[in-house]
């Protein structure tokens, strides 16, 4: 039971720390654009490459 003297304040402190972190993330705008990050992850940033040119040896073939 003596360990409860340590564990209860530790649990309350960690819970408070998590709550403070969550409130900070809300205030700083972390949850403003939830869909933008998902679309940026799958968006293709590079333009498509042109098809390779045929060499003169392939044209004769």
């Amino acid at each position: 039971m003596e360990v409860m003297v340590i564990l209860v304040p530790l649990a309350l402190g960690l819970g408070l720390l998590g709550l403070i972190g969550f409130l900070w993330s809300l205030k700083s705008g972390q949850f403003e654009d939830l869909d933008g990050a998902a679309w940026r992850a799958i968006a293709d940033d590079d333009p498509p490459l042109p098809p390779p040119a045929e060499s003169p040896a392939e044209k004769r073939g």
Side-chain angles (χ1 to χ4, degrees):
M1 292 302 280
E2 295 88 19
V3 75
M4 296 296 282
V5 174
I6 295 171
L7 289 180
V8 170
L10 183 65
L12 290 174
L14 287 174
L16 183 62
L17 186 66
L19 179 64
I20 290 170
F22 176 70
L23 293 175
W24 171 80
S25 66
L26 280 178
K27 186 178 178 182
S28 66
Q30 294 290 319
F31 300 108
E32 291 295 319
D33 184 20
L34 296 177
D35 292 330
W39 283 109
R40 280 192 301 274
I42 61 172
D44 190 18
D45 294 336
D46 300 328
L49 296 174
E54 291 183 19
S55 66
E58 291 174 347
K59 288 183 182 178
R60 284 187 249 149

